[in-house]
Amino acid sequence: MLFTKECDYGARIIRALANGEKKTVANICQTEQIPVQYAYKIMKKLELAELVHGLRGQNGGFHLAKSLDMITLYDIAKAVNENLYIFECMDSEKQCPFHSGGRSCRVHLEFERLQKLMEEEMQARSIKDVLFGPIQYQNPQAGN
């Protein structure tokens, strides 16, 4: 699925490293309230995706491998989640009795449309824009 705890934690890790300083996993976990058992696993995935770089040894830690304007929420989600499906039936590995053998399910087609929109939106803004740019969200209940 697209939005997992790992995706949330991955975004928090990138946020913790946003100031460009090298930080230990313990420091990141404390700052971002991430359980240590998840952090190492997610850091490895972020490192494999070349979003962070780890330094080993006594003075070790992690820092960003790319600038914030080169990283998007999509990049983070793709790094930590093997599949980026908003709904399980989008996974071609899963059998959907209503979308197979060349048959088109209208609900599935709508899910595909939503999936495409979500991916485009996740790629539209860099993490730098998300963290430091103008706030894009407007609460519909606030009445603007």
Side-chain angles (χ1 to χ4, degrees):
M1 297 303 278
L2 186 56
F3 299 111
T4 63
K5 270 218 184 300
E6 282 190 351
C7 182
D8 175 33
Y9 293 156
R12 290 187 203 184
I13 289 168
I14 298 298
R15 178 176 61 195
L17 297 172
N19 65 2
E21 293 178 13
K22 177 182 66 171
K23 295 188 179 172
T24 65
V25 172
N27 181 265
I28 292 168
C29 289
Q30 181 180 15
T31 303
E32 294 295 333
Q33 300 178 5
I34 300 170
V36 175
Q37 67 268 23
Y38 287 105
Y40 283 102
K41 178 180 172 186
I42 295 166
M43 283 299 220
K44 185 170 187 160
K45 291 178 179 185
L46 293 172
E47 194 169 22
L48 285 172
E50 298 179 352
L51 298 179
V52 302
H53 179 69
L55 303 167
R56 311 292 182 238
Q58 186 176 4
N59 294 319
F62 287 86
H63 62 85
L64 291 176
K66 293 183 176 181
S67 66
L68 290 175
D69 57 351
M70 300 296 294
I71 302 171
T72 65
L73 285 174
Y74 180 84
D75 297 327
I76 297 167
K78 189 76 173 159
V80 298
N81 295 325
E82 189 173 317
N83 299 307
L84 292 179
Y85 304 116
I86 58 174
F87 298 105
E88 190 175 37
C89 77
M90 301 296 295
D91 186 349
S92 60
E93 306 268 323
K94 307 279 183 188
Q95 291 288 32
C96 175
F98 302 105
H99 187 80
S100 60
R103 294 184 305 163
S104 293
C105 168
R106 292 182 64 94
V107 173
H108 186 89
L109 294 174
E110 180 63 5
F111 288 168
E112 285 178 347
R113 184 185 74 79
L114 294 172
Q115 175 84 29
K116 184 175 184 229
L117 285 171
M118 184 66 67
E119 288 178 7
E120 288 171 358
E121 286 298 313
M122 290 177 72
Q123 294 175 63
R125 297 179 69 215
S126 70
I127 291 298
K128 181 178 180 179
D129 292 337
V130 170
L131 295 177
F132 305 111
I135 296 174
Q136 298 289 315
Y137 173 78
Q138 292 183 4
N139 186 345
Q141 295 176 343
N144 293 346

mmCIF file of all heavy atoms in Angstrom, residues 5-50:
data_model
loop_
_atom_site.group_PDB
_atom_site.id
_atom_site.type_symbol
_atom_site.label_atom_id
_atom_site.label_comp_id
_atom_site.label_asym_id
_atom_site.label_seq_id
_atom_site.Cartn_x
_atom_site.Cartn_y
_atom_site.Cartn_z
ATOM 1 N N LYS A 5 3.247 2.954 7.614
ATOM 2 C CA LYS A 5 4.031 3.545 8.703
ATOM 3 C C LYS A 5 5.464 3.788 8.248
ATOM 4 O O LYS A 5 6.072 4.796 8.601
ATOM 5 C CB LYS A 5 4.026 2.618 9.918
ATOM 6 C CG LYS A 5 2.901 2.876 10.867
ATOM 7 C CD LYS A 5 3.431 2.704 12.282
ATOM 8 C CE LYS A 5 2.373 2.847 13.317
ATOM 9 N NZ LYS A 5 1.702 4.105 13.356
ATOM 10 N N GLU A 6 5.998 2.858 7.462
ATOM 11 C CA GLU A 6 7.361 3.021 6.970
ATOM 12 C C GLU A 6 7.498 4.284 6.116
ATOM 13 O O GLU A 6 8.512 4.976 6.180
ATOM 14 C CB GLU A 6 7.812 1.799 6.170
ATOM 15 C CG GLU A 6 8.201 0.625 7.026
ATOM 16 C CD GLU A 6 8.871 -0.480 6.233
ATOM 17 O OE1 GLU A 6 8.890 -0.419 4.987
ATOM 18 O OE2 GLU A 6 9.386 -1.403 6.872
ATOM 19 N N CYS A 7 6.499 4.576 5.310
ATOM 20 C CA CYS A 7 6.523 5.787 4.491
ATOM 21 C C CYS A 7 6.516 7.025 5.392
ATOM 22 O O CYS A 7 7.291 7.971 5.179
ATOM 23 C CB CYS A 7 5.335 5.802 3.537
ATOM 24 S SG CYS A 7 5.312 7.220 2.433
ATOM 25 N N ASP A 8 5.679 7.018 6.393
ATOM 26 C CA ASP A 8 5.621 8.112 7.354
ATOM 27 C C ASP A 8 6.976 8.275 8.040
ATOM 28 O O ASP A 8 7.527 9.383 8.122
ATOM 29 C CB ASP A 8 4.515 7.838 8.378
ATOM 30 C CG ASP A 8 4.455 8.866 9.495
ATOM 31 O OD1 ASP A 8 4.759 10.052 9.263
ATOM 32 O OD2 ASP A 8 4.098 8.473 10.626
ATOM 33 N N TYR A 9 7.538 7.181 8.516
ATOM 34 C CA TYR A 9 8.823 7.237 9.197
ATOM 35 C C TYR A 9 9.933 7.679 8.241
ATOM 36 O O TYR A 9 10.846 8.406 8.628
ATOM 37 C CB TYR A 9 9.171 5.893 9.831
ATOM 38 C CG TYR A 9 8.281 5.484 10.982
ATOM 39 C CD1 TYR A 9 8.145 4.152 11.328
ATOM 40 C CD2 TYR A 9 7.584 6.420 11.734
ATOM 41 C CE1 TYR A 9 7.341 3.755 12.394
ATOM 42 C CE2 TYR A 9 6.775 6.041 12.792
ATOM 43 C CZ TYR A 9 6.661 4.707 13.119
ATOM 44 O OH TYR A 9 5.858 4.325 14.176
ATOM 45 N N GLY A 10 9.865 7.232 6.987
ATOM 46 C CA GLY A 10 10.854 7.654 5.993
ATOM 47 C C GLY A 10 10.840 9.160 5.795
ATOM 48 O O GLY A 10 11.894 9.805 5.725
ATOM 49 N N ALA A 11 9.646 9.739 5.715
ATOM 50 C CA ALA A 11 9.523 11.191 5.563
ATOM 51 C C ALA A 11 10.060 11.902 6.807
ATOM 52 O O ALA A 11 10.722 12.938 6.703
ATOM 53 C CB ALA A 11 8.068 11.572 5.302
ATOM 54 N N ARG A 12 9.800 11.335 7.975
ATOM 55 C CA ARG A 12 10.309 11.935 9.215
ATOM 56 C C ARG A 12 11.830 11.893 9.270
ATOM 57 O O ARG A 12 12.469 12.832 9.742
ATOM 58 C CB ARG A 12 9.740 11.212 10.435
ATOM 59 C CG ARG A 12 8.271 11.436 10.656
ATOM 60 C CD ARG A 12 7.903 10.819 11.974
ATOM 61 N NE ARG A 12 6.504 10.482 12.081
ATOM 62 C CZ ARG A 12 5.959 10.005 13.182
ATOM 63 N NH1 ARG A 12 6.686 9.792 14.261
ATOM 64 N NH2 ARG A 12 4.679 9.714 13.225
ATOM 65 N N ILE A 13 12.405 10.797 8.797
ATOM 66 C CA ILE A 13 13.865 10.674 8.774
ATOM 67 C C ILE A 13 14.463 11.751 7.870
ATOM 68 O O ILE A 13 15.426 12.430 8.250
ATOM 69 C CB ILE A 13 14.294 9.260 8.323
ATOM 70 C CG1 ILE A 13 13.985 8.243 9.431
ATOM 71 C CG2 ILE A 13 15.769 9.230 7.932
ATOM 72 C CD1 ILE A 13 14.086 6.791 9.007
ATOM 73 N N ILE A 14 13.894 11.924 6.700
ATOM 74 C CA ILE A 14 14.389 12.959 5.781
ATOM 75 C C ILE A 14 14.232 14.336 6.424
ATOM 76 O O ILE A 14 15.124 15.180 6.344
ATOM 77 C CB ILE A 14 13.676 12.881 4.420
ATOM 78 C CG1 ILE A 14 13.947 11.530 3.725
ATOM 79 C CG2 ILE A 14 14.065 14.060 3.527
ATOM 80 C CD1 ILE A 14 15.403 11.265 3.387
ATOM 81 N N ARG A 15 13.107 14.558 7.092
ATOM 82 C CA ARG A 15 12.898 15.836 7.786
ATOM 83 C C ARG A 15 13.972 16.062 8.851
ATOM 84 O O ARG A 15 14.499 17.162 8.999
ATOM 85 C CB ARG A 15 11.505 15.875 8.412
ATOM 86 C CG ARG A 15 11.244 17.161 9.202
ATOM 87 C CD ARG A 15 9.845 17.247 9.730
ATOM 88 N NE ARG A 15 9.524 16.162 10.634
ATOM 89 C CZ ARG A 15 8.284 15.856 11.012
ATOM 90 N NH1 ARG A 15 7.267 16.552 10.550
ATOM 91 N NH2 ARG A 15 8.070 14.863 11.837
ATOM 92 N N ALA A 16 14.314 15.013 9.592
ATOM 93 C CA ALA A 16 15.331 15.135 10.639
ATOM 94 C C ALA A 16 16.701 15.494 10.065
ATOM 95 O O ALA A 16 17.496 16.149 10.729
ATOM 96 C CB ALA A 16 15.416 13.834 11.434
ATOM 97 N N LEU A 17 16.950 15.078 8.839
ATOM 98 C CA LEU A 17 18.241 15.334 8.201
ATOM 99 C C LEU A 17 18.230 16.591 7.335
ATOM 100 O O LEU A 17 19.245 16.932 6.716
ATOM 101 C CB LEU A 17 18.637 14.122 7.349
ATOM 102 C CG LEU A 17 18.849 12.810 8.109
ATOM 103 C CD1 LEU A 17 19.033 11.659 7.142
ATOM 104 C CD2 LEU A 17 20.015 12.927 9.072
ATOM 105 N N ALA A 18 17.114 17.288 7.297
ATOM 106 C CA ALA A 18 16.917 18.413 6.376
ATOM 107 C C ALA A 18 17.901 19.560 6.594
ATOM 108 O O ALA A 18 18.201 20.298 5.656
ATOM 109 C CB ALA A 18 15.489 18.939 6.480
ATOM 110 N N ASN A 19 18.448 19.706 7.792
ATOM 111 C CA ASN A 19 19.362 20.822 8.040
ATOM 112 C C ASN A 19 20.779 20.539 7.532
ATOM 113 O O ASN A 19 21.660 21.373 7.656
ATOM 114 C CB ASN A 19 19.398 21.188 9.525
ATOM 115 C CG ASN A 19 19.970 20.092 10.392
ATOM 116 O OD1 ASN A 19 20.393 19.052 9.913
ATOM 117 N ND2 ASN A 19 19.960 20.322 11.693
ATOM 118 N N GLY A 20 20.985 19.349 6.961
ATOM 119 C CA GLY A 20 22.279 19.014 6.373
ATOM 120 C C GLY A 20 23.289 18.427 7.333
ATOM 121 O O GLY A 20 24.375 18.025 6.924
ATOM 122 N N GLU A 21 22.956 18.370 8.608
ATOM 123 C CA GLU A 21 23.882 17.819 9.596
ATOM 124 C C GLU A 21 23.836 16.298 9.605
ATOM 125 O O GLU A 21 22.816 15.689 9.322
ATOM 126 C CB GLU A 21 23.519 18.323 10.994
ATOM 127 C CG GLU A 21 23.716 19.799 11.183
ATOM 128 C CD GLU A 21 23.298 20.260 12.569
ATOM 129 O OE1 GLU A 21 23.083 19.411 13.458
ATOM 130 O OE2 GLU A 21 23.177 21.477 12.757
ATOM 131 N N LYS A 22 24.964 15.704 9.977
ATOM 132 C CA LYS A 22 25.034 14.258 10.170
ATOM 133 C C LYS A 22 24.396 13.946 11.518
ATOM 134 O O LYS A 22 24.657 14.628 12.507
ATOM 135 C CB LYS A 22 26.491 13.810 10.139
ATOM 136 C CG LYS A 22 26.700 12.342 10.405
ATOM 137 C CD LYS A 22 28.167 12.004 10.414
ATOM 138 C CE LYS A 22 28.821 12.685 11.584
ATOM 139 N NZ LYS A 22 30.176 12.321 11.876
ATOM 140 N N LYS A 23 23.543 12.926 11.544
ATOM 141 C CA LYS A 23 22.870 12.550 12.792
ATOM 142 C C LYS A 23 22.903 11.040 12.966
ATOM 143 O O LYS A 23 22.880 10.290 11.999
ATOM 144 C CB LYS A 23 21.422 13.026 12.785
ATOM 145 C CG LYS A 23 21.316 14.539 12.771
ATOM 146 C CD LYS A 23 19.902 14.997 12.953
ATOM 147 C CE LYS A 23 19.896 16.523 12.952
ATOM 148 N NZ LYS A 23 18.568 17.055 12.935
ATOM 149 N N THR A 24 22.910 10.634 14.222
ATOM 150 C CA THR A 24 22.852 9.206 14.511
ATOM 151 C C THR A 24 21.399 8.734 14.436
ATOM 152 O O THR A 24 20.471 9.538 14.547
ATOM 153 C CB THR A 24 23.390 8.903 15.921
ATOM 154 O OG1 THR A 24 22.520 9.514 16.880
ATOM 155 C CG2 THR A 24 24.818 9.388 16.091
ATOM 156 N N VAL A 25 21.226 7.441 14.291
ATOM 157 C CA VAL A 25 19.886 6.867 14.279
ATOM 158 C C VAL A 25 19.192 7.152 15.607
ATOM 159 O O VAL A 25 18.009 7.505 15.633
ATOM 160 C CB VAL A 25 19.921 5.353 13.976
ATOM 161 C CG1 VAL A 25 18.562 4.719 14.158
ATOM 162 C CG2 VAL A 25 20.421 5.120 12.558
ATOM 163 N N ALA A 26 19.921 7.043 16.701
ATOM 164 C CA ALA A 26 19.326 7.315 18.024
ATOM 165 C C ALA A 26 18.808 8.746 18.101
ATOM 166 O O ALA A 26 17.701 8.987 18.602
ATOM 167 C CB ALA A 26 20.348 7.052 19.130
ATOM 168 N N ASN A 27 19.570 9.693 17.590
ATOM 169 C CA ASN A 27 19.158 11.093 17.608
ATOM 170 C C ASN A 27 17.923 11.306 16.740
ATOM 171 O O ASN A 27 16.982 11.990 17.137
ATOM 172 C CB ASN A 27 20.308 11.988 17.143
ATOM 173 C CG ASN A 27 19.931 13.451 17.174
ATOM 174 O OD1 ASN A 27 19.520 14.001 16.151
ATOM 175 N ND2 ASN A 27 20.063 14.065 18.339
ATOM 176 N N ILE A 28 17.916 10.700 15.564
ATOM 177 C CA ILE A 28 16.765 10.820 14.653
ATOM 178 C C ILE A 28 15.522 10.216 15.293
ATOM 179 O O ILE A 28 14.448 10.812 15.268
ATOM 180 C CB ILE A 28 17.069 10.143 13.298
ATOM 181 C CG1 ILE A 28 18.160 10.928 12.555
ATOM 182 C CG2 ILE A 28 15.803 10.024 12.447
ATOM 183 C CD1 ILE A 28 18.735 10.200 11.359
ATOM 184 N N CYS A 29 15.680 9.056 15.897
ATOM 185 C CA CYS A 29 14.545 8.383 16.538
ATOM 186 C C CYS A 29 13.971 9.224 17.671
ATOM 187 O O CYS A 29 12.747 9.319 17.822
ATOM 188 C CB CYS A 29 14.957 7.011 17.051
ATOM 189 S SG CYS A 29 15.260 5.825 15.739
ATOM 190 N N GLN A 30 14.846 9.823 18.445
ATOM 191 C CA GLN A 30 14.386 10.646 19.559
ATOM 192 C C GLN A 30 13.673 11.896 19.040
ATOM 193 O O GLN A 30 12.589 12.239 19.506
ATOM 194 C CB GLN A 30 15.554 11.041 20.448
ATOM 195 C CG GLN A 30 15.138 11.873 21.641
ATOM 196 C CD GLN A 30 16.312 12.250 22.518
ATOM 197 O OE1 GLN A 30 17.467 12.133 22.131
ATOM 198 N NE2 GLN A 30 16.011 12.699 23.721
ATOM 199 N N THR A 31 14.263 12.575 18.085
ATOM 200 C CA THR A 31 13.699 13.813 17.539
ATOM 201 C C THR A 31 12.363 13.573 16.847
ATOM 202 O O THR A 31 11.418 14.335 17.014
ATOM 203 C CB THR A 31 14.682 14.446 16.529
ATOM 204 O OG1 THR A 31 15.924 14.680 17.175
ATOM 205 C CG2 THR A 31 14.140 15.740 15.974
ATOM 206 N N GLU A 32 12.292 12.505 16.062
ATOM 207 C CA GLU A 32 11.113 12.247 15.228
ATOM 208 C C GLU A 32 10.160 11.201 15.808
ATOM 209 O O GLU A 32 9.185 10.838 15.168
ATOM 210 C CB GLU A 32 11.551 11.828 13.824
ATOM 211 C CG GLU A 32 12.268 12.920 13.058
ATOM 212 C CD GLU A 32 11.380 14.109 12.743
ATOM 213 O OE1 GLU A 32 10.139 13.940 12.627
ATOM 214 O OE2 GLU A 32 11.915 15.221 12.596
ATOM 215 N N GLN A 33 10.459 10.709 16.992
ATOM 216 C CA GLN A 33 9.616 9.723 17.672
ATOM 217 C C GLN A 33 9.364 8.492 16.792
ATOM 218 O O GLN A 33 8.231 8.078 16.550
ATOM 219 C CB GLN A 33 8.302 10.361 18.107
ATOM 220 C CG GLN A 33 8.522 11.507 19.064
ATOM 221 C CD GLN A 33 7.241 12.192 19.477
ATOM 222 O OE1 GLN A 33 6.149 11.771 19.134
ATOM 223 N NE2 GLN A 33 7.373 13.262 20.237
ATOM 224 N N ILE A 34 10.467 7.918 16.343
ATOM 225 C CA ILE A 34 10.432 6.715 15.511
ATOM 226 C C ILE A 34 10.990 5.560 16.323
ATOM 227 O O ILE A 34 12.084 5.687 16.906
ATOM 228 C CB ILE A 34 11.280 6.898 14.233
ATOM 229 C CG1 ILE A 34 10.754 8.067 13.406
ATOM 230 C CG2 ILE A 34 11.311 5.617 13.411
ATOM 231 C CD1 ILE A 34 11.669 8.463 12.260
ATOM 232 N N PRO A 35 10.299 4.429 16.391
ATOM 233 C CA PRO A 35 10.857 3.268 17.093
ATOM 234 C C PRO A 35 12.157 2.801 16.423
ATOM 235 O O PRO A 35 12.229 2.706 15.198
ATOM 236 C CB PRO A 35 9.767 2.196 16.952
ATOM 237 C CG PRO A 35 8.517 2.960 16.633
ATOM 238 C CD PRO A 35 8.949 4.174 15.881
ATOM 239 N N VAL A 36 13.167 2.558 17.228
ATOM 240 C CA VAL A 36 14.489 2.187 16.713
ATOM 241 C C VAL A 36 14.419 0.962 15.808
ATOM 242 O O VAL A 36 15.099 0.896 14.783
ATOM 243 C CB VAL A 36 15.483 1.956 17.875
ATOM 244 C CG1 VAL A 36 16.824 1.454 17.366
ATOM 245 C CG2 VAL A 36 15.669 3.235 18.668
ATOM 246 N N GLN A 37 13.576 -0.009 16.160
ATOM 247 C CA GLN A 37 13.514 -1.235 15.369
ATOM 248 C C GLN A 37 13.062 -0.972 13.925
ATOM 249 O O GLN A 37 13.425 -1.699 13.017
ATOM 250 C CB GLN A 37 12.623 -2.303 16.026
ATOM 251 C CG GLN A 37 11.151 -1.974 16.094
ATOM 252 C CD GLN A 37 10.738 -1.271 17.378
ATOM 253 O OE1 GLN A 37 11.554 -0.652 18.041
ATOM 254 N NE2 GLN A 37 9.480 -1.356 17.725
ATOM 255 N N TYR A 38 12.296 0.075 13.695
ATOM 256 C CA TYR A 38 11.903 0.447 12.334
ATOM 257 C C TYR A 38 12.988 1.277 11.655
ATOM 258 O O TYR A 38 13.214 1.168 10.451
ATOM 259 C CB TYR A 38 10.617 1.289 12.336
ATOM 260 C CG TYR A 38 9.362 0.529 12.632
ATOM 261 C CD1 TYR A 38 8.742 0.643 13.866
ATOM 262 C CD2 TYR A 38 8.771 -0.284 11.672
ATOM 263 C CE1 TYR A 38 7.571 -0.037 14.143
ATOM 264 C CE2 TYR A 38 7.608 -0.970 11.940
ATOM 265 C CZ TYR A 38 7.009 -0.838 13.178
ATOM 266 O OH TYR A 38 5.852 -1.513 13.450
ATOM 267 N N ALA A 39 13.630 2.134 12.411
ATOM 268 C CA ALA A 39 14.541 3.120 11.838
ATOM 269 C C ALA A 39 15.685 2.488 11.051
ATOM 270 O O ALA A 39 15.983 2.937 9.940
ATOM 271 C CB ALA A 39 15.089 4.023 12.932
ATOM 272 N N TYR A 40 16.322 1.472 11.593
ATOM 273 C CA TYR A 40 17.452 0.866 10.889
ATOM 274 C C TYR A 40 17.016 0.248 9.567
ATOM 275 O O TYR A 40 17.701 0.389 8.553
ATOM 276 C CB TYR A 40 18.152 -0.176 11.770
ATOM 277 C CG TYR A 40 19.036 0.441 12.818
ATOM 278 C CD1 TYR A 40 18.623 0.524 14.141
ATOM 279 C CD2 TYR A 40 20.272 0.970 12.481
ATOM 280 C CE1 TYR A 40 19.434 1.110 15.106
ATOM 281 C CE2 TYR A 40 21.085 1.563 13.440
ATOM 282 C CZ TYR A 40 20.652 1.631 14.743
ATOM 283 O OH TYR A 40 21.455 2.215 15.695
ATOM 284 N N LYS A 41 15.887 -0.406 9.579
ATOM 285 C CA LYS A 41 15.362 -1.027 8.360
ATOM 286 C C LYS A 41 15.041 0.041 7.306
ATOM 287 O O LYS A 41 15.378 -0.104 6.132
ATOM 288 C CB LYS A 41 14.093 -1.827 8.716
ATOM 289 C CG LYS A 41 13.409 -2.489 7.568
ATOM 290 C CD LYS A 41 12.174 -3.235 8.071
ATOM 291 C CE LYS A 41 11.335 -3.750 6.931
ATOM 292 N NZ LYS A 41 10.093 -4.349 7.378
ATOM 293 N N ILE A 42 14.427 1.121 7.726
ATOM 294 C CA ILE A 42 14.058 2.189 6.798
ATOM 295 C C ILE A 42 15.304 2.923 6.303
ATOM 296 O O ILE A 42 15.410 3.259 5.121
ATOM 297 C CB ILE A 42 13.061 3.156 7.465
ATOM 298 C CG1 ILE A 42 11.757 2.411 7.767
ATOM 299 C CG2 ILE A 42 12.793 4.371 6.583
ATOM 300 C CD1 ILE A 42 10.830 3.136 8.713
ATOM 301 N N MET A 43 16.267 3.158 7.200
ATOM 302 C CA MET A 43 17.511 3.808 6.796
ATOM 303 C C MET A 43 18.220 3.017 5.706
ATOM 304 O O MET A 43 18.754 3.597 4.762
ATOM 305 C CB MET A 43 18.446 3.966 7.994
ATOM 306 C CG MET A 43 18.070 5.087 8.895
ATOM 307 S SD MET A 43 18.128 6.659 8.041
ATOM 308 C CE MET A 43 18.821 7.666 9.282
ATOM 309 N N LYS A 44 18.201 1.707 5.845
ATOM 310 C CA LYS A 44 18.843 0.863 4.835
ATOM 311 C C LYS A 44 18.155 1.041 3.482
ATOM 312 O O LYS A 44 18.813 1.154 2.452
ATOM 313 C CB LYS A 44 18.810 -0.603 5.277
ATOM 314 C CG LYS A 44 19.548 -1.520 4.354
ATOM 315 C CD LYS A 44 19.696 -2.898 4.934
ATOM 316 C CE LYS A 44 20.587 -3.708 4.030
ATOM 317 N NZ LYS A 44 21.161 -4.849 4.683
ATOM 318 N N LYS A 45 16.830 1.097 3.489
ATOM 319 C CA LYS A 45 16.088 1.295 2.246
ATOM 320 C C LYS A 45 16.355 2.679 1.655
ATOM 321 O O LYS A 45 16.525 2.819 0.442
ATOM 322 C CB LYS A 45 14.586 1.109 2.488
ATOM 323 C CG LYS A 45 14.199 -0.323 2.788
ATOM 324 C CD LYS A 45 12.716 -0.431 3.061
ATOM 325 C CE LYS A 45 12.299 -1.854 3.339
ATOM 326 N NZ LYS A 45 10.830 -1.984 3.500
ATOM 327 N N LEU A 46 16.397 3.695 2.505
ATOM 328 C CA LEU A 46 16.691 5.054 2.029
ATOM 329 C C LEU A 46 18.114 5.148 1.487
ATOM 330 O O LEU A 46 18.378 5.867 0.516
ATOM 331 C CB LEU A 46 16.478 6.073 3.153
ATOM 332 C CG LEU A 46 15.044 6.266 3.634
ATOM 333 C CD1 LEU A 46 15.011 7.157 4.879
ATOM 334 C CD2 LEU A 46 14.165 6.850 2.533
ATOM 335 N N GLU A 47 19.019 4.392 2.101
ATOM 336 C CA GLU A 47 20.402 4.379 1.623
ATOM 337 C C GLU A 47 20.504 3.661 0.272
ATOM 338 O O GLU A 47 21.192 4.135 -0.637
ATOM 339 C CB GLU A 47 21.309 3.724 2.666
ATOM 340 C CG GLU A 47 22.772 3.951 2.416
ATOM 341 C CD GLU A 47 23.641 3.534 3.594
ATOM 342 O OE1 GLU A 47 23.224 2.713 4.429
ATOM 343 O OE2 GLU A 47 24.771 4.049 3.656
ATOM 344 N N LEU A 48 19.799 2.548 0.133
ATOM 345 C CA LEU A 48 19.798 1.834 -1.148
ATOM 346 C C LEU A 48 19.207 2.694 -2.273
ATOM 347 O O LEU A 48 19.631 2.594 -3.425
ATOM 348 C CB LEU A 48 19.004 0.524 -1.036
ATOM 349 C CG LEU A 48 19.701 -0.605 -0.298
ATOM 350 C CD1 LEU A 48 18.744 -1.775 -0.068
ATOM 351 C CD2 LEU A 48 20.930 -1.075 -1.069
ATOM 352 N N ALA A 49 18.260 3.538 -1.936
ATOM 353 C CA ALA A 49 17.652 4.443 -2.919
ATOM 354 C C ALA A 49 18.489 5.702 -3.131
ATOM 355 O O ALA A 49 18.104 6.588 -3.894
ATOM 356 C CB ALA A 49 16.250 4.828 -2.461
ATOM 357 N N GLU A 50 19.628 5.776 -2.444
ATOM 358 C CA GLU A 50 20.568 6.894 -2.548
ATOM 359 C C GLU A 50 19.950 8.225 -2.122
ATOM 360 O O GLU A 50 20.255 9.280 -2.660
ATOM 361 C CB GLU A 50 21.164 6.974 -3.954
ATOM 362 C CG GLU A 50 21.951 5.728 -4.310
ATOM 363 C CD GLU A 50 22.547 5.763 -5.701
ATOM 364 O OE1 GLU A 50 22.233 6.683 -6.479
ATOM 365 O OE2 GLU A 50 23.341 4.854 -6.000
#
